[in-house]
Amino acid sequence: MNHLDPVRHVRGESQYLDDVPVQQGTLYAAVFESPLAHGVLRAIHLSEARQAPGVFRILTAADIPGENQIGGIVPDEPLLAEGHVHFRGQPVALVLADTEHQAQAALRLIRADIDPLPIITDPRVAAAQGELIVPPRTFRLGDPDAIWSQCAHIFEGEAESGGQEHLYIETQGAYAFPTEMGGVRIISSTQGPTAVQRHTAHVLGIGMHQIEVDVTRLGGGFGGKEDQATTWGALAALGAFVVRRPVKLVLDRMADMRMTGKRHPYSSDFRIGLDENLRILAYEVTFYQNAGAAADLSPAVLERTLFHATNAYFIPNVKVTAYSCRTNLPPNTAFRGFGGPQGMFVMESAIVKAAETLGVSPSEIQRRNLLRENDLFSYRQPAEMCNAGLAWDTAANLYDLPKLRQEVDVFNQQNEQLKKGLSVMPICFGISFTKTPMNQARALVHIYTDGSVGVSTGAVEMGQGVNTKIAQVAAQTLGISPSRIKVESTNTTRVANTSPSAASATADLNGKATQMACEALRERLLRHAVLEYTLNYEGLEIRDEQVLAAGVPADTNWEKLVSSAYWKRVSLTENAHYATPDIHFDPVTNQGYPFAYHVYGTAYTTVTLDCLRGTYTFDALRIVHDFGESMNPAIDLGQIEGGAVQGIGWMTMEELIYNEEGRLLSNSLNSYKIPDLYSVPQRIDVHFLETPGHPRAILRSKAVGEPPLMYGIGAYFAVRDAISAFRPAHRPTFSAPITPEKALLNLYPSGVAEEVVRLASSTVA
Ligand code: LUZ
Ligand code: MOS
């Protein structure tokens, strides 16, 4: 089945937030943001802006009727600054004006008196000063402290990975309408409609039942709208609630880049111990997570870093500790992988450090330590139906690893200026929200009297194809054509108390609920058919809209059956609730069975590095991926390709730069580069690993949202491999992204490359 949306997308017919027809009387909102990263907010001067053309009202924290608080995990984040400012870009005041332009113009007339306070941007500095968001967490397995003396080889080092801008095509925004009896209806570009509803109700001091949040689709989320859509939804709602007029708030690209949080940068210290046979005996890491100025989702992201700290390897003795460090940057947040990639980058760095020093190929160490069936993760869940080795071996055979290595070596012997590099990147990613209670979903299914079907769930379509998968599940379960199914907007009054569309679990959770609702409806209709047409229930089914009794067409079809059920007053509506079975986790002991299952795979990355310029192109990305029994290979393939390329961007070209004042310098697409058609690998091969799938996955089709991002980590190590072919004695620091500038600096002795870069940039200037 094809993705339902692309035809409408290319025809411009799909409705995003900004396509919603504007209601008469709508006011446009613009946000006055803190110009300083840290300080005491003494006063906000609004009188001049209040006189500006078209300005209707300017709201500050004092206008908030409920509690000025939107923190999800820790209540540490005001909606509008009050008393202090904690990051540049923090919302301070909300201008409401007749036009967007007038609202923006009025911002320039607002001044804030702020007494500056010291600014921290470095997580290690924050940790040293005790600026922690939550107490540190440690996951432990075995007895690492005792085992170091038995290790033949011990290596230590540091690894750094940068942040990442989500760069959803549709920026953050919301459109809020006052409803009767003092409520608000919000159209929001959010992955978490319930989060917007809950926090808005809290801010306005009214019940959640007074807030309706509706989402048709997003132009991308990538985690950036899991929690951080709430700010804009709540601000638009505050405006609509206070002035009783519709309020529309949409961030322009640069405001979005300045004001919203991103993937967490991490700085980490690792220590790895191996025996003579290259078996990893012990692994110890301290992670310093740059959380930004408020908790947001940082504690949960931190936890997933610990879950995935050993990637796809079994290590018998593990001690991994993570600090969530408060800095004066916008609060960092969920981003595809949710801390997992940051942890896995350190693991791979440790392996490469060991391999480089011992003079072996990293793949020797990787293969020898891959997870096998029933090996324990540090959190004590066993690796069940483990495909780590199968994915690795399938890739090695299919793509011929020794031959690829040899091709690279031969090329490097024959070329001086160009060097090729190769890396192998196995992945393992756990599927489920690590907070067990979040793993629940509901589906509301209506069959209309003409046989058409409306399905509502908590799933948010953001381009990933979840609506197509839900329609597929409904059509398949009911035995009818997908053209009869409409997947409705995601709406908090139809489906309540939803978890965000996140954690790669959306199709599993909402798909399973849809499946349950449709199974109940199918059974009810067939029971009705038994009475109405005197048939035997055993062997009764609906296939291609025809009712079959023991394989023989009965005297009724889908439309007739539905209609006759209605006239016999049989309910054609079902509401189902799904909660992932078997999972549990104790955050005190850090032990349990948190994941429904794990997703595995292996990627080969080959790169050609221009050693004069530091620029590189990826020749090929070859992936063997564990889809289970893919329910939609076209959609799933798109997720793998898109995720891997997004990961490559994170590891190579996407570089966020804040100065010491906490100001984002890479604040537009002029200075922040993401992969485009010209920089993606010249070929991407994806092989579907043949496995029976997993019963806790929807239709045995495994989650595909986040896992492929981590294939991109291989891009860093491929470039590093090429650097070492040019300059064998040099060991670059483990610092991602490895931009062309950084690659160049690593290709030549200190001073030489700096001079080249200086000359190059002065030429450009
Ligand atoms: N969000 C969340 C997530 O709240 N919990 C998670 O475990 C998670 N994992 C990945 C992405 N978003
Ligand atoms: Mo996400 S990082 O699954 O919103």
Side-chain angles (χ1 to χ4, degrees), residues 26 62 183 632 643 718 753:
T26 292
N632 194 317

Side-chain angles (χ1 to χ4, degrees), residues 542-726:
I542 309 167
R543 206 190 297 161
D544 297 332
E545 312 213 336
Q546 177 60 46
V547 177
L548 300 176
V552 180
D555 186 24
T556 187
N557 61 21
W558 173 255
E559 275 188 19
K560 286 188 205 159
L561 184 61
V562 165
S563 173
S564 81
Y566 171 77
W567 288 110
K568 286 286 155 67
R569 296 185 287 176
V570 172
S571 166
L572 296 174
T573 287
E574 185 65 21
N575 179 47
H577 172 84
Y578 175 74
T580 311
D582 310 323
I583 56 171
H584 56 89
F585 183 69
D586 179 347
V588 175
T589 61
N590 295 321
Q591 295 181 17
Y593 192 105
F595 297 120
Y597 55 89
H598 291 83
V599 172
Y600 300 91
T602 298
Y604 294 175
T605 309
T606 45
V607 71
T608 304
L609 175 67
D610 180 335
C611 299
L612 188 60
R613 297 173 177 84
T615 53
Y616 44 76
T617 51
F618 292 99
D619 307 326
L621 175 61
R622 298 176 175 90
I623 295 170
V624 170
H625 185 80
D626 167 25
F627 293 86
E629 212 174 88
S630 174
M631 67 178 286
N632 194 317
I635 285 177
D636 288 352
L637 180 60
Q639 286 293 302
I640 301 306
E641 291 177 345
V645 167
Q646 197 167 36
I648 292 175
W650 171 52
M651 282 281 111
T652 61
M653 61 199 299
E654 298 185 39
E655 191 174 32
L656 284 171
I657 302 176
Y658 289 92
N659 68 9
E660 311 84 70
E661 272 92 57
R663 188 160 92 90
L664 180 65
L665 303 180
S666 49
N667 64 354
S668 77
L669 291 176
N670 217 11
S671 46
Y672 186 80
K673 299 295 183 187
I674 66 160
D676 61 9
L677 206 54
Y678 302 99
S679 55
V680 296
Q682 294 181 354
R683 63 184 268 207
I684 302 180
D685 295 341
V686 180
H687 176 80
F688 287 60
L689 192 65
E690 268 182 52
T691 74
H694 199 284
R696 289 189 208 106
I698 182 64
L699 302 176
R700 308 188 74 89
S701 178
K702 285 184 162 188
V704 286
E706 295 171 289
L709 185 127
M710 284 145 279
Y711 292 133
I713 294 171
Y716 170 89
F717 291 99
V719 174
R720 188 185 172 91
D721 188 47
I723 291 171
S724 71
F726 184 81

Side-chain angles (χ1 to χ4, degrees), residues 113-136:
D113 295 341
I114 299 170
D115 297 346
L117 289 170
I119 293 164
I120 301 175
T121 58
D122 181 328
R124 288 185 190 254
V125 172
Q129 298 185 13
E131 287 289 339
L132 299 182
I133 298 272
V134 285

Side-chain angles (χ1 to χ4, degrees), residues 478-546:
L478 294 172
I480 61 176
S481 161
S483 63
R484 285 197 189 266
I485 315 268
K486 175 163 181 235
V487 180
E488 306 283 359
S489 69
T490 316
N491 186 297
T492 53
T493 65
R494 259 179 278 119
V495 179
N497 309 322
T498 60
S499 292
S501 286
S504 306
T506 312
D508 278 359
L509 296 173
N510 295 279
K512 291 259 188 188
T514 302
Q515 189 176 32
M516 289 168 72
C518 291
E519 274 167 0
L521 285 164
R522 183 188 61 197
E523 175 172 349
R524 194 179 302 150
L525 285 169
L526 290 178
R527 297 267 176 217
H528 167 72
V530 166
L531 298 176
E532 194 72 7
Y533 303 95
T534 42
L535 297 163
N536 233 332
Y537 185 78
E538 292 311 311
L540 205 54
E541 58 177 325
I542 309 167
R543 206 190 297 161
D544 297 332
E545 312 213 336
Q546 177 60 46

Side-chain angles (χ1 to χ4, degrees), residues 2-79:
N2 287 331
H3 196 304
L4 294 172
D5 283 348
V7 171
R8 289 193 287 266
H9 284 356
V10 296
R11 293 165 63 97
E13 293 169 358
S14 303
Q15 282 219 346
Y16 296 87
L17 173 69
D18 227 12
D19 298 309
V20 174
V22 172
Q23 236 183 54
Q24 208 173 10
T26 292
L27 292 168
Y28 290 85
V31 180
F32 176 76
E33 51 192 287
S34 172
L36 288 188
H38 196 195
V40 180
L41 180 59
R42 293 265 172 236
I44 314 168
H45 302 285
L46 299 172
S47 47
E48 223 186 311
R50 283 196 173 117
Q51 309 303 318
V55 171
F56 184 79
R57 181 87 188 251
I58 302 177
L59 303 174
T60 64
D63 297 296
I64 290 175
E67 200 194 339
N68 182 16
Q69 183 52 248
I70 57 166
I73 298 177
V74 181
D76 66 351
E77 191 176 356
L79 177 63

